[in-house]
Amino acid sequence: MSSNVGLSTPRGSGTSGYVQRNLSHLRPRDNAAPYPKDFDTIKHRQRQPDKEILEHDRKREVEVKVFELRDRLEDEDVDEDEIEEQTSALRRKLLAENSPDKTSARGLKSHQVHELAKAKIEESEKLRKALGISPDYEEGSHWRKQEERLREANLERERE
């Protein structure tokens, strides 16, 4: 035994006397608050979707449908040239009609982060237009204007 840790002797204790450190012990961290306390510097930023990932997912959906058609045609023993012709026609049709502009959050799963972010931005933009909020509106600007008016009124009172 080293440095008086554990049993002086394991005899009669029903253990081997092997001492392990407590891995579930939580040591206090150096910094108590991992977040900044200045709330003015913290602004809500909406996550921007990655356009390349959105385009990749859109093309992947098209290719899945094309592969399903190819698989079905191969099971029906259709000629290879006819399969290529039908799959390329379907691919052109799906790429033309599957526009990247429209995104609905209803059919999306929680792992589709970029699609959800795009749908949220579109929803926020639609709500902003419906409420008549200007695009350059800054959150909390009303309170700043009100504080400025109060300061001006106080300065005028002091001058009198």
Side-chain angles (χ1 to χ4, degrees), residues 33-44:
Y35 48 88
K37 300 229 188 248
D38 186 17
F39 293 111
D40 293 335
T41 59
I42 302 172
K43 286 189 177 181
H44 173 69

Side-chain angles (χ1 to χ4, degrees), residues 25-32:
H25 175 68
L26 297 175
R27 285 175 258 149
R29 293 187 176 178
D30 294 338
N31 52 352

